[in-house]
Amino acid sequence: MSVSGLCGVCERAEARHTCRTCGRVVCNDHWNESLAACTPCAEGLGSPDDPADPSARDDPPDGFRID
Ligand SMILES: [Zn+2]
Ligand SMILES: [Zn+2]
């Protein structure tokens, strides 16, 4: 059995914080103070999964004009 109170990320260090996003308890090394979230959540929050590459858009070409 694992002892509750260990970091949910590394499972080695003692948990000091509780992530507000996922509820995981994490150690200081896996805690993002500014975001009040664990590092996995903080990485997701810090870099939203939004590919803003205009060349990757899959819109149909504007080539259906009728003269
Ligand atoms: Zn940890
Ligand atoms: Zn989290």
Side-chain angles (χ1 to χ4, degrees), residues 33-63:
E33 186 69 44
S34 61
L35 294 176
C38 64
T39 50
C41 288
E43 289 174 5
L45 292 171
S47 59
D49 191 14
D50 181 17
D53 186 355
S55 67
R57 293 181 59 167
D58 197 26
D59 291 341
D62 185 16

Side-chain angles (χ1 to χ4, degrees), residues 23-36:
R24 177 161 42 192
V25 292
V26 295
C27 68
N28 286 329
D29 286 345
H30 294 108
W31 176 248
N32 187 309
E33 186 69 44
S34 61
L35 294 176

Side-chain angles (χ1 to χ4, degrees), residues 1-2 4-5 7-9 12 16 20-22 32 37-38 44 49-51 55 58 61 65:
M1 280 188 189
S2 61
S4 63
C7 170
V9 177
R12 290 185 302 178
R16 298 288 188 180
R20 294 192 307 177
T21 302
C22 68
N32 187 309
C38 64
D49 191 14
D50 181 17
S55 67
D58 197 26
R65 293 176 187 160

